[in-house]
Amino acid sequence: MQLDRIDRKILSVLQREARITNQALAARVDLSPSSCLNRVKKLESAGVIGPYLAVLDLPKLCRSVTVIATVSLKDPSSESFRMFEAALKEIPEVVECDTVSGVFDFFLRIVAPDMVRYNQIVDRLFDLIPGKVNMSSHVVLEQGKPFRGFPLNELLEE
């Protein structure tokens, strides 16, 4: 999809302020409210925007442990990858999964209420492909820079 300067401005604003009113967004990007709304709907239908999510401050809500896990499958077949990824989708505590190149096959972000539950998840992952999953866990002690959007100005240079 080709994005013009105004589309880029819209995306930059929405990325930081998803709850902004259409009226305020239109003013920020120098468009009429109806033109702005049409552009936003076009970006949504193209799949460029969405879904809209609220960023939660988990420590204020509950106790939890966040673990970054690196996973390597000993069986590099596409069937093993698909089976593993499908199983991950069934575990709600696995909140992110990236398939990567290099020494590891996956990076997982797992958020569990405690280490007991985390260990249950690990056992479940090991049981998916018995003897063929290597996993290394890294407990997050502090999040120094949480994700707050993509650097669109740098990525979408004209």
Side-chain angles (χ1 to χ4, degrees), residues 68-71 81 84-85 88 94-101 104-109:
I68 306 298
T70 56
V71 178
F81 273 67
F84 191 79
E85 287 173 330
L88 293 176
V94 177
V95 297
E96 284 185 275
C97 170
D98 292 312
T99 303
V100 297
S101 62
F104 308 109
D105 297 315
F106 301 97
F107 283 149
L108 308 179
R109 179 175 292 271

Side-chain angles (χ1 to χ4, degrees), residues 7 37 56 61 67 70 74 86 101 103 107 110 126 133 138 141-142 149:
D7 288 334
L37 186 58
L56 305 178
L61 293 172
V67 179
T70 56
K74 290 183 184 175
S101 62
V103 177
F107 283 149
I110 302 168
F126 283 144
V133 176
H138 311 274
L141 302 176
E142 184 178 325

Side-chain angles (χ1 to χ4, degrees), residues 28-152:
R28 294 268 290 279
V29 299
D30 300 320
L31 280 179
S32 70
S34 62
S35 293
C36 184
L37 186 58
N38 287 337
R39 282 181 180 254
V40 170
K41 287 185 183 287
K42 182 177 110 187
L43 291 166
E44 287 172 341
S45 64
V48 174
I49 300 174
Y52 293 93
L53 303 170
V55 177
L56 305 178
D57 188 344
L58 204 53
K60 289 183 179 177
L61 293 172
C62 60
R63 288 183 37 182
S64 65
V65 61
T66 299
V67 179
I68 306 298
T70 56
V71 178
S72 298
L73 301 182
K74 290 183 184 175
D75 175 8
S77 70
S78 58
E79 180 182 333
S80 289
F81 273 67
R82 279 193 302 274
M83 187 169 74
F84 191 79
E85 287 173 330
L88 293 176
K89 291 176 183 174
E90 300 300 317
I91 304 171
E93 294 91 345
V94 177
V95 297
E96 284 185 275
C97 170
D98 292 312
T99 303
V100 297
S101 62
V103 177
F104 308 109
D105 297 315
F106 301 97
F107 283 149
L108 308 179
R109 179 175 292 271
I110 302 168
V111 181
D114 51 40
M115 288 306 289
V116 171
R117 177 63 184 138
Y118 175 72
N119 285 327
Q120 292 169 346
I121 294 165
V122 169
D123 289 344
R124 184 171 170 189
L125 294 175
F126 283 144
D127 289 344
L128 289 174
I129 313 171
K132 302 214 179 199
V133 176
N134 287 328
M135 191 165 167
S136 180
S137 300
H138 311 274
V139 175
V140 175
L141 302 176
E142 184 178 325
Q143 191 174 31
K145 183 180 179 181
F147 179 77
R148 292 294 186 255
F150 298 103
L152 292 181

Side-chain angles (χ1 to χ4, degrees), residues 5-7 9-11 13-14 17 19-40:
R5 181 183 54 79
I6 293 172
D7 288 334
K9 281 173 122 178
I10 289 170
L11 292 174
V13 172
L14 285 176
E17 304 170 56
R19 293 190 65 188
I20 192 171
T21 66
N22 182 60
Q23 194 84 4
L25 178 60
R28 294 268 290 279
V29 299
D30 300 320
L31 280 179
S32 70
S34 62
S35 293
C36 184
L37 186 58
N38 287 337
R39 282 181 180 254
V40 170

